[in-house]
Amino acid sequence: MTLNTDIAPGLDTDALLDDPGIRIVVCCGSGGVGKTTTAAALGVRAAERGRKVVVLTIDPARRLAQSMGIDQLDNIPRRVDDIGGDGELHAMMLDMKRTFDETVEAHTDAERARAILENPFYQSLSAGFAGTQEYMAMEKLGQLRARDEWDLIIVDTPPSRSALDFLDAPKRLGSFLDGKFIRLLIAPAKIGGRAGMKFLNVGMSMMTGTLGKLLGGQFLRDVQTFVTAMDSMFGGFRTRADATYKLLQAPGTAFLVVATPERDALREAAYFVERLAAEKMPLAGLVLNRVHGSEAARLSAERALAAAENLEDVGIVDQTTGKAGLCDASDPTAVTSPEASESPLSPEHGDEPTPHGSTPEPHDRKSPAPEQHDAEPHDRKSPDPSGPPTHAEQDTRAVPATDVSVDQLTAGLLRLHAERMQVVAREQHTRDRFTSLHPEVPVTEVAALPGDVHDLSGLRAIGERLATGSAPA
Amino acid sequence: MSRFQVVSGKGGTGKTTVAAALALALATEGRRTLLVEVEGRQGIAQLFESEALPYEERRIAVAPGGGEVHALAIDAERALLDYLQMFYKLGSAGRALKKLGAIDFATTIAPGVRDVLLTGKACEAVRRKDKQGRFVYDHVIMDAPPTGRITRFLNVNDEVAGLARIGPIHNQAQAVMRVLKSPETAVHLVTLLEEMPVQETADGVAELRAAELPVGRVVVNMVRPHLLDEDALRTASGGRRREIAKALTRSGVTGSAALVRPLVEQAAEHAQRVGLEREQRAVLAGLGLPTVELPLMGEGVSLSALYDLAAEFRKQGVGDDTVDAAGQGSAGGAPRSGPGPGRGSGRGVGA
């Protein structure tokens, strides 16, 4: 029902999740597009379709853990309860430092491991280096795959500024640890011993001298200790990073690029699609998240606005009257908070209906509602202390139902629809731009939900949308 | 207004856009601002529809009333070379260091050092004065790393303390921290009216406060108008569908009967969103910070939309120094080309 899908082929998510040959699904994309939620929803769906799944998330969003019924996700896969069917779902969150520590401990003797773990450079590198998270995500993925306990591993990629970081960072750390300069630091004597390299050694001592002055002598001693201690592990790091890289290129892996139908997110997605192709990594398709649609799409934004104006021209009062409209707490459209559904919390309620108020022009939709100019935080809370007003109180303020002009109401519905149609058109436009660049990429659309996901049923709903490519909005 | 404005926010909240709009807002009326980015992303260049920014301050936009926005993409390696040059007059040896990977090494091995170089360069611009002793920039606005990393990024002292205990980098960190913890600095957090960004904002504020870094405003971005109030919507979904159908027909819409249900459903979604947004506003209000709300730019963020957002900032009192200076008293350095007395935007930094 959302955007038409006749340009790009559809992405069959269920076929992907059911394919026993697929062992790893990587969800990637730029920040804020819903990667983590997508990964979790795919995990729930795959498990309920009978697979034994582990979801490796990077984003420490507590709500997501809670939505899977787990208080706190950590570095160990935890089983998620209440999964229907024969499958299993496990979830874990990458603890970057811990994974790094464990890797160090696993690949060197106890004494050297301690020397590394206590070194300030290690501490800084393991907690903060821009690529460490990506690198450790790869490391963890390699470990999980090697255990072979799960049919399917679904990985969420780190919340990088750019989707490409995920692919670049492990190499960057690898080449960094393999860098010329580090080699010099480790073995200056060895290199200097060769006649042809002698000048390097001169340069070297000048350099260490400079850096020593700049950063303090201790700095360089710490670096040298660190680098020497890590040296024994470089081979291991590199080898495993290469192995994981190959694993990502293997046919058992599928990449899903996640994006929202917005310019920046889709531009990132396009870069990423190109990059995956260049790296010969298997792209399964694009998940277009939070897409808006309308079941009343045959009514265009322009016609809806014109119709709204027709109604308002003959109407007696302006739109604010509608805002003072009556409260019907039993209504199914009720908002989640019971308090919100009963009490006129919104400052808008304070607005007196203005009989001769100006009819909102189309451009007014851009300007914020009156309350938004209110920077004083306490004002917003003011209705709270008094608690929900009684019905008697409401009666004194609210206009009886029959007094809410149906024309006003309908005009409001039409304006709302016009706004929706403008969003739909904009999203279609940005999506078209992507499809014209990459017509070969299968796409599935996930209709926007009005709120955030809080529980397994929310994740199931998203899984359903992922599978069908569209769902009733 | 603080002279150093740091803009952070969760990924996807539009912090680069907000930083750019703020730089424009603060540049109006003949002032001069510097917009810096530190993540090598060239987001500023894309926003202002210009070529990729070099490591060099250049004018990127003109603000209403003759002000100027300059921009700089700070690069840690280049900043380190600058420092080496400044302190040790390295000349070509600097290039040799770079060729050997020493610079890459020094800025990579210790992220804290990298951060000191980035914030240090920005602080240098904050404190820089021209020959007449006036500040070169009235405000420096930084498009900073996201909320999850901002405290660590700014709290360079802690980061560097364990690594460089003496020497210029150490001194640099000390000098930077003096600026960052002073009222000269304000850290703004950009959010959307959605649960996860709001939660992250609340966490970020708590972290910044714990580190004694000055929190500025919460910028609520992409605010969508509330076209219909919930109460009206309840009516709509009640027994008035037939009336609505008739009204639709009156308005000139054909086939109105089939439209009522989807229209009312869209309205119900809208109502649900309004309710959720109200909850998030309450959470933000609990932070006790001044708030700025910026509207969603329906057509996406173009250059003209940036100017609209800048105007919105000013409408909400940001960049209007008559308001701010009154509250804060002192007005030290004269603005570079301020419109007149009493509009001093530059206050001295103990440089």
Side-chain angles (χ1 to χ4, degrees):
Chain A
M1 57 97 223
T2 51
L3 306 176
N4 69 54
T5 42
D6 50 19
I7 306 164
L11 167 65
D12 190 345
T13 318
D14 279 345
L16 181 73
L17 295 179
D18 291 346
D19 182 352
I22 296 290
R23 304 294 303 272
I24 296 173
V25 170
V26 185
C27 298
C28 42
S30 54
V33 296
K35 282 192 296 270
T36 308
T37 309
T38 302
L42 287 171
V44 171
R45 189 162 182 92
E48 298 198 325
R49 295 176 71 85
R51 301 197 78 184
K52 191 176 174 193
V53 188
V54 62
V55 173
L56 168 59
T57 98
I58 316 288
D59 196 344
R62 279 182 305 234
R63 268 167 230 280
L64 189 79
Q66 285 161 1
S67 72
M68 291 190 278
I70 299 173
D71 284 339
Q72 195 87 47
L73 286 175
D74 58 16
N75 219 25
I76 301 156
R78 310 261 174 211
R79 179 144 184 196
V80 176
D81 296 329
D82 303 322
I83 291 294
D86 298 333
E88 280 177 34
L89 177 62
H90 299 251
M92 64 171 292
M93 189 185 81
L94 179 74
D95 181 332
M96 169 172 74
K97 176 145 176 54
R98 203 178 183 115
T99 304
F100 211 150
D101 289 356
E102 284 167 3
T103 311
V104 168
E105 282 161 353
H107 291 91
T108 189
D109 58 82
E111 195 186 331
R112 194 171 287 183
R114 201 176 54 245
I116 294 176
L117 298 184
E118 283 170 3
N119 187 283
F121 281 94
Y122 171 75
Q123 288 168 5
S124 178
L125 189 70
S126 63
F129 173 55
T132 307
Q133 206 176 29
E134 285 85 350
Y135 188 89
M136 285 303 133
M138 296 281 254
E139 176 75 35
K140 201 73 204 172
L141 175 60
Q143 287 174 13
L144 289 173
R145 184 66 185 85
R147 278 163 71 179
D148 208 15
E149 271 180 50
W150 293 276
D151 301 343
L152 180 62
I153 304 167
I154 299 178
V155 205
D156 160 36
T157 57
S160 320
R161 56 177 188 213
S162 147
L164 299 179
D165 282 0
F166 171 67
L167 286 181
D168 287 336
K171 269 190 179 166
R172 197 158 11 117
L173 187 67
S175 70
F176 168 70
L177 290 175
D178 255 0
K180 241 190 300 189
F181 189 69
I182 286 205
R183 311 314 307 179
L184 285 170
L185 277 179
I186 302 165
K190 200 164 58 192
I191 294 169
R194 284 191 278 163
M197 301 295 277
K198 208 153 194 173
F199 80 98
L200 263 184
N201 208 20
V202 176
M204 183 64 203
S205 48
M206 183 206 75
M207 208 150 36
T208 52
T210 308
L211 286 174
K213 269 190 272 178
L214 188 73
L215 301 160
Q218 183 65 38
F219 184 95
L220 219 59
R221 276 193 298 282
D222 283 343
V223 172
Q224 261 159 341
T225 321
F226 168 62
V227 166
T228 312
M230 290 283 279
D231 187 36
S232 61
M233 298 174 51
F234 282 178
F237 274 121
R238 257 319 277 160
T239 315
R240 279 196 316 288
D242 290 346
T244 310
Y245 200 77
K246 288 211 178 71
L247 192 62
L248 292 179
Q249 289 175 322
T253 300
F255 280 83
L256 284 177
V257 177
V258 185
T260 48
E262 281 144 30
R263 197 178 49 171
D264 290 353
L266 273 173
R267 182 167 48 207
E268 280 289 327
Y271 286 146
F272 203 77
V273 165
E274 286 154 25
R275 182 61 192 280
L276 285 175
E279 305 273 345
K280 298 191 171 58
M281 296 207 170
L283 171 69
L286 174 77
V287 173
L288 203 53
N289 215 355
R290 300 190 203 129
V291 174
H292 292 86
S294 174
E295 286 187 74
R298 66 174 182 84
L299 180 60
S300 72
E302 294 74 18
R303 280 176 52 215
L305 280 180
E309 277 164 25
N310 286 344
L311 286 174
E312 281 157 350
D313 283 347
V314 295
I316 318 126
V317 288
D318 97 327
Q319 207 187 339
T320 49
T321 311
K323 290 175 180 172
L326 92 165
C327 296
D328 178 2
S330 64
D331 186 81
T333 68
V335 248
T336 48
S337 139
E339 172 190 69
S341 64
E342 284 189 8
S343 68
L345 278 180
S346 161
E348 290 163 345
H349 289 272
D351 291 352
E352 290 299 314
T354 43
H356 302 290
S358 58
T359 304
E361 287 167 27
H363 296 297
D364 274 352
R365 280 173 293 104
K366 267 188 167 182
S367 58
E371 71 191 82
Q372 286 153 4
H373 295 292
D374 178 8
E376 174 51 57
H378 300 295
D379 275 15
R380 295 220 179 89
K381 283 163 74 183
S382 56
D384 282 340
S386 57
T390 65
H391 283 282
E393 273 172 347
Q394 282 180 33
D395 287 344
T396 60
R397 297 171 54 171
V399 186
T402 45
D403 283 7
V404 176
S405 148
V406 75
D407 284 1
Q408 281 310 314
L409 187 60
T410 309
L413 293 176
L414 286 164
R415 286 194 181 278
L416 211 50
H417 176 68
E419 189 205 30
R420 170 73 69 101
M421 290 308 291
Q422 281 160 348
V423 171
V424 169
R426 192 173 69 241
E427 291 181 352
Q428 177 73 56
H429 180 69
T430 46
R431 186 213 150 128
D432 284 351
R433 236 182 347 201
F434 177 88
T435 5
S436 60
L437 276 173
H438 296 286
E440 77 287 359
V441 177
V443 180
T444 186
E445 290 176 1
V446 180
L449 290 168
D452 283 348
V453 172
H454 288 104
D455 48 21
L456 276 180
S457 65
L459 290 175
R460 279 187 194 109
I462 291 185
E464 183 67 33
R465 288 169 188 218
L466 276 164
T468 53
S470 66
Chain B
M1 272 324 271
S2 302
R3 297 195 52 249
F4 187 29
Q5 310 253 334
V6 180
V7 180
S8 179
K10 184 176 165 37
T13 57
K15 68 184 170 60
T16 303
T17 306
V18 170
L22 181 59
L24 264 177
L26 292 172
T28 37
E29 293 172 31
R31 282 177 297 208
R32 184 197 265 235
T33 59
L34 179 68
L35 176 61
V36 298
E37 76 179 357
V38 294
E39 293 192 290
R41 204 160 47 123
Q42 292 296 341
I44 295 175
Q46 279 174 16
L47 266 180
F48 285 94
E49 295 161 18
S50 80
E51 311 243 303
L53 295 174
Y55 182 66
E56 179 187 295
E57 291 159 37
R58 55 168 57 178
R59 195 177 72 180
I60 197 160
V62 177
E68 289 181 356
V69 179
H70 293 239
L72 168 69
I74 305 182
D75 173 276
E77 288 193 17
R78 290 286 303 274
L80 181 56
L81 278 175
D82 277 3
Y83 281 113
L84 289 173
Q85 188 60 33
M86 217 185 299
F87 289 115
Y88 300 103
K89 309 275 177 283
L90 279 184
S92 61
R95 281 196 297 277
L97 283 174
K98 190 175 165 65
K99 210 167 169 187
L100 268 174
I103 301 296
D104 177 39
F105 172 81
T107 54
T108 306
I109 184 118
V113 169
R114 189 180 190 87
D115 294 348
V116 169
L117 291 165
L118 297 171
T119 48
K121 180 73 193 169
C123 286
E124 181 271 318
V126 171
R127 288 175 294 180
R128 193 187 311 152
K129 291 181 178 177
D130 63 15
K131 290 196 179 94
Q132 284 77 42
R134 294 176 305 191
F135 284 113
V136 172
Y137 294 108
D138 295 301
H139 298 280
V140 174
I141 296 91
M142 178 189 271
D143 176 16
T147 320
R149 289 197 284 128
I150 187 66
T151 301
R152 200 186 168 92
F153 175 75
L154 294 175
N155 215 7
V156 286
N157 227 4
D158 283 4
E159 280 296 303
V160 168
L163 301 175
R165 297 184 189 97
I166 49 164
I169 288 281
H170 175 81
N171 297 342
Q172 169 76 8
Q174 300 290 327
V176 165
M177 279 326 286
R178 274 198 298 277
V179 175
L180 291 182
K181 291 199 172 175
S182 76
E184 276 313 297
T185 301
V187 184
H188 309 297
L189 295 178
V190 183
T191 186
L192 308 178
L193 283 177
E194 289 168 16
E195 252 175 273
M196 292 219 263
V198 165
Q199 182 60 48
E200 200 165 297
T201 302
D203 293 348
V205 168
E207 280 175 30
L208 287 166
R209 281 177 174 159
E212 293 170 13
L213 289 160
V215 188
R217 294 167 198 252
V218 171
V219 181
V220 183
N221 197 20
M222 306 186 203
V223 174
R224 287 176 292 184
H226 296 172
L227 293 175
L228 257 189
D229 158 277
E230 289 156 65
D231 300 335
L233 292 167
R234 285 187 199 106
T235 327
S237 55
R240 306 188 70 182
R241 296 189 180 211
R242 195 163 299 160
E243 285 178 72
I244 291 168
K246 281 184 193 153
L248 280 174
T249 309
R250 264 205 308 288
S251 75
V253 172
T254 51
S256 56
L259 284 173
V260 176
R261 189 189 54 83
L263 288 188
V264 169
E265 273 172 11
Q266 281 173 198
E269 279 174 29
H270 176 79
Q272 193 182 349
R273 200 194 79 209
V274 169
L276 289 170
E277 287 184 356
R278 179 186 303 144
E279 288 169 23
Q280 297 313 313
R281 277 209 172 85
V283 175
L284 291 176
L287 298 174
L289 291 167
T291 306
V292 174
E293 297 210 358
L294 300 177
L296 175 72
M297 288 292 149
E299 300 304 310
V301 178
S302 60
L303 197 50
S304 71
L306 265 189
Y307 279 84
D308 290 347
L309 290 173
E312 196 60 45
F313 258 123
R314 292 184 60 78
K315 217 167 29 175
Q316 296 182 45
V318 175
D320 186 353
D321 275 355
T322 49
V323 177
D324 248 54
Q328 301 194 1
S330 74
R336 185 184 175 80
S337 48
R343 278 209 160 261
S345 56
R347 290 190 313 277
V349 190

